[in-house]
Amino acid sequence: MEVEQLEREAGNMTSTIAASTAGASAANPSAPASPAADYLVLSNIAKTFIARGNATNALSATNLTIGQGQFVTLVGPSGCGKSTLLNLVAGLIEPSEGTITIGGAPVRGTDRRIGYVTQADNLLPWRTLRDNVAFPLELAGVPVAERRERADFWMHRVGLAGFGDAYPSELSGGMRQRGNIIRTLIYGPPVILMDEPFGPLDAQTRIVLQDLLLSIWEESRSTVLFVTHDLSEAISLADQVVLMGTKPGRVIRCENVGIERPRDIFQIHEHPEYRRLYKQIWNDLGAQVKKAVE
Amino acid sequence: MTSRPSLFDPDSARAVFIGRLLLAVSVLLLWQLGAGHLFDIFFFGKPTLIAASIFNDLRDPGFYRDLGVTGMEFGMGYVIGGFAGIACGVLLARWRYMAKLADPFLQALNAVPRIALAPMLIVWFGIGMSSKVFLAATLVFFIMFFNTLSGIRSVSPALCSVAKIQGATQWQIFTKIMLPSASSWIFTGLKMSLPFALVGVILGEFMVSSVGLGYRLNAYATAYNTSAALGMIMIMMCLMMLLTWGANALDARLMGWRDGGGDGAAAALKA
Ligand SMILES: Nc1ncnc2c1ncn2[C@@H]1O[C@H](COP(=O)(O)OP(=O)(O)OP(=O)(O)O)[C@@H](O)[C@H]1O
Ligand SMILES: [Mg+2]
């Protein structure tokens, strides 16, 4: 019963977020009422790292357009610049060339509208799991009782109930990663970047969490940019799969996934569209992976 | 095969305890019985004589006055040096230009052998408590300063970035990420400083003073009262061990998050 109440509250929370973003566009008469088709735009992005005298061309001539409320997955071989792309969108690093805009405004530095589930869990080792999950709420000045309640609700949702008082060093890799995911979901940012969030999880937990992530996303409809090395995961979750290539890192092509929602993650592999896309992308991905290890 | 009597088992608390007891008793016995034959009592004292003089000291009200003075100097030196060291460490960790500018000067100051300062201290501070407080504080200051600086510099940039993304202000990053992250360095510094603060104070009292445990020790030693002097040294040793033990207990309580929940877990590899 208590959980039910929390579910409802969370529903309200996400609908407030939806309402506030809708309100923002409604206030501007020239903006269309429907979600913007070019919400997150990367134009002609290049990023060169200079480390110890060597220049690494991590990304070059990269273009990507993502509509508001879209779930987009990025696949590509290791080292092709996926994390770099997310870091750029998050405003943690600046592109060497090109511009990134979100809702028409260029990205300048970090921004609370963008949530980022990093590849490493990056939990604060001196805080308990609950205090880690509630950290963004604490930063925003949410009262203790409320943030405790919300943290417990999210921990319950991903099977971490009862571990609120454990320190990260006392948790398994998969548990820490779940903590890492929900501490972004807890404050419901309109744009969520996820870098191989299910990487350290076993196959079963992975599917359960994919399913959970989709149902959470159906409620909130935030714009998601999700990196994975698992093509199956990429197709199952996405509205659009972006294939990245290497040497130099760039976007090779985008495929729309025409599978209706809500989806049944457990059965999706039977879907003919899934099989078609899988075959089609697999060949190109395979070629890029070979190129990456050459 | 593991049921062999565990006389030398390093994991058996009892075996270790018995071993320690045997070692202590045999050293004391050798010392006691050999005193006067194997070693000269004039130089090495004798356990029973040392015990008697410790007992005498503990019954003397003058001892408690000396203990109070030394404790006061120690406490003030430790707190002043510690506070100043942490404050400067934090300041310079944040203000990189100043850190670079000050670095060679701080290295030079830290390279001054503190004992060489002693004659000047009398000139600057007279023979009262302040000269001892100052000596202890300078020793503590540099330990705390360098530890705080390294602690804050070794904060993971990734943790700061994540907090920034989640909307942390500069001040929040400082108080909620940098300070807690540096706290284990700061704590280590506070523990390391304890014996140095005591050394500073005793050294100061040794040089010039008319009260304090260092003065008492010096008085015994110059009177060639070896047993009493060794007794004083043992009292100081016990005080230091008590302090260290307290600091370790506090550390274990506050820094429990480091250890991964108990024995041996810290050594286990984590993904
Ligand atoms: N800070 C940095 N300094 C120098 N080179 C960097 C830096 N960050 C990334 N690179 C380089 O940029 C390229 C892309 O790195 P990135 O981390 O984005 O790859 P990735 O696609 O996320 O790989 P993975 O799937 O293994 O996580 C790599 O060649 C890497 O060596
Ligand atoms: Mg990566």
Side-chain angles (χ1 to χ4, degrees):
Chain A
M1 183 200 125
E2 202 184 322
V3 173
E4 245 170 51
Q5 191 198 336
L6 286 167
E7 295 271 5
R8 223 176 308 121
E9 274 176 23
N12 288 344
M13 238 169 66
T14 43
S15 59
T16 354
I17 291 159
S20 67
T21 44
S25 56
N28 183 350
S30 65
S34 57
D38 51 358
Y39 181 61
L40 171 55
V41 182
L42 285 77
S43 23
N44 247 321
I45 293 297
K47 178 68 193 178
T48 307
F49 288 107
I50 304 199
R52 275 171 277 113
N54 292 327
T56 313
N57 208 351
L59 283 175
S60 74
T62 299
N63 289 291
L64 191 61
T65 303
I66 296 173
Q68 187 165 15
Q70 291 258 298
F71 198 122
V72 175
T73 53
L74 286 176
V75 279
S78 180
C80 71
K82 304 182 295 293
S83 299
T84 305
L85 195 148
L86 293 198
N87 287 334
L88 286 163
V89 175
L92 288 174
I93 52 178
E94 282 182 15
S96 315
E97 280 169 41
T99 51
I100 301 175
T101 56
I102 294 181
V107 171
R108 274 199 206 89
T110 56
D111 183 332
R112 205 174 149 83
R113 287 176 312 164
I114 303 171
Y116 191 177
V117 178
T118 49
Q119 192 163 9
D121 65 68
N122 285 321
L123 294 175
L124 305 175
W126 56 88
R127 281 176 169 251
T128 59
L129 179 63
R130 177 181 297 108
D131 289 346
N132 264 293
V133 171
F135 189 60
L137 303 181
E138 183 181 326
L139 293 174
V142 174
V144 184
E146 186 191 335
R147 62 187 194 231
R148 193 186 160 92
E149 198 177 355
R150 280 166 70 178
D152 284 349
F153 163 72
W154 281 99
M155 288 190 296
H156 176 85
R157 260 191 128 171
V158 295
L160 289 174
F163 291 98
D165 295 320
Y167 288 102
S169 59
E170 297 161 354
L171 300 172
S172 76
M175 293 162 94
R176 289 203 297 270
Q177 190 55 16
R178 279 178 271 164
N180 182 25
I181 295 168
I182 58 174
R183 76 171 161 171
T184 294
L185 298 180
I186 198 172
Y187 68 102
V191 178
I192 298 180
L193 313 173
M194 303 180 108
D195 198 347
E196 300 196 22
F198 302 146
L201 301 175
D202 61 276
Q204 288 78 17
T205 314
R206 216 177 153 102
I207 292 198
V208 171
L209 285 182
Q210 286 170 358
D211 186 49
L212 183 62
L213 179 64
L214 277 191
S215 47
I216 293 166
W217 175 77
E218 304 273 0
E219 294 161 10
S220 68
R221 286 288 169 163
S222 25
T223 308
V224 177
L225 198 49
F226 184 110
V227 168
T228 175
H229 56 249
D230 177 355
L231 183 54
S232 165
E233 178 173 80
I235 299 172
S236 313
L237 296 176
D239 295 317
Q240 190 181 30
V241 178
V242 176
L243 176 65
M244 291 184 64
T246 186
K247 294 178 184 176
R250 66 199 189 282
V251 171
I252 292 187
R253 59 200 176 95
C254 303
E255 295 287 344
N256 286 317
V257 182
I259 305 177
E260 67 286 354
R261 296 190 188 268
R263 293 179 186 168
D264 181 357
I265 285 282
F266 300 92
Q267 303 298 328
I268 199 164
H269 309 92
E270 318 286 335
H271 203 287
E273 169 77 351
Y274 171 93
R275 294 186 169 188
R276 186 186 67 79
L277 277 171
Y278 195 97
K279 252 188 220 142
Q280 196 180 336
I281 305 175
W282 181 251
N283 284 333
D284 288 351
L285 181 59
Q288 289 302 325
V289 171
K290 268 192 208 125
K291 196 170 164 191
V293 295
E294 257 164 23
Chain B
M1 63 177 207
T2 49
S3 60
R4 224 153 44 89
S6 49
L7 193 53
F8 297 109
D9 181 0
D11 294 324
S12 151
R14 231 183 96 213
V16 171
F17 177 75
I18 291 172
R20 285 173 181 169
L21 200 67
L22 281 176
L23 180 66
V25 168
S26 46
V27 167
L28 281 176
L29 263 182
L30 187 73
W31 190 358
Q32 177 70 25
L33 298 178
H37 315 288
L38 296 173
F39 347 95
D40 193 337
I41 296 181
F42 179 77
F43 292 117
F44 298 104
K46 189 173 174 179
T48 43
L49 290 176
I50 293 173
S53 79
I54 290 178
F55 190 63
N56 266 338
D57 270 329
L58 292 182
R59 279 193 319 179
D60 174 11
F63 169 79
Y64 293 97
R65 187 202 55 202
D66 287 332
L67 182 66
V69 169
T70 299
M72 188 76 178
E73 292 162 346
F74 170 84
M76 283 171 67
Y78 186 73
V79 169
I80 293 172
F83 193 79
I86 294 174
C88 287
V90 164
L91 190 74
L92 291 204
R94 304 294 292 133
W95 189 6
R96 291 191 38 234
Y97 173 77
M98 206 49 191
K100 280 200 171 162
L101 186 150
D103 187 60
F105 302 106
L106 288 165
Q107 299 280 358
L109 280 178
N110 191 35
V112 171
R114 258 17 88 76
I115 192 160
L117 277 182
M120 293 312 294
L121 288 180
I122 306 166
V123 178
W124 294 332
F125 295 102
I127 61 167
M129 278 171 71
S130 43
S131 52
K132 288 87 189 172
V133 171
F134 180 83
L135 202 55
T138 60
L139 286 162
V140 174
F141 173 85
F142 284 100
I143 297 173
M144 290 317 299
F145 170 75
F146 288 118
N147 265 49
T148 307
L149 194 66
S150 321
I152 291 188
R153 282 185 177 165
S154 65
V155 173
S156 148
L159 294 187
C160 296
S161 295
V162 166
K164 220 164 105 186
I165 286 172
Q166 294 172 347
T169 60
Q170 279 298 316
W171 177 248
Q172 283 174 324
I173 288 178
F174 178 65
T175 56
K176 292 180 193 284
I177 308 285
M178 294 192 161
L179 278 189
S181 172
S183 65
S184 61
W185 286 75
I186 294 178
F187 245 96
T188 307
L190 286 173
K191 278 199 295 186
M192 274 166 56
S193 311
L194 283 173
F196 282 90
L198 192 62
V199 164
V201 167
I202 302 283
L203 202 73
E205 289 175 346
F206 233 78
M207 297 285 155
V208 273
S209 136
S210 50
V211 279
L213 294 183
Y215 165 75
R216 206 168 244 269
L217 171 59
N218 200 25
Y220 287 145
T222 44
Y224 295 107
N225 189 347
T226 317
S227 293
L230 286 174
M232 256 342 280
I233 289 174
M234 286 189 182
I235 289 174
M236 290 173 182
M237 180 182 82
C238 290
L239 288 174
M240 200 60 241
M241 280 175 72
L242 214 64
L243 277 171
T244 308
W245 176 78
N248 280 334
L250 196 67
D251 190 37
R253 265 197 75 127
L254 294 179
M255 300 282 141
W257 53 268
R258 271 189 321 216
D259 308 330
D263 293 331
L269 290 172
K270 285 270 181 170

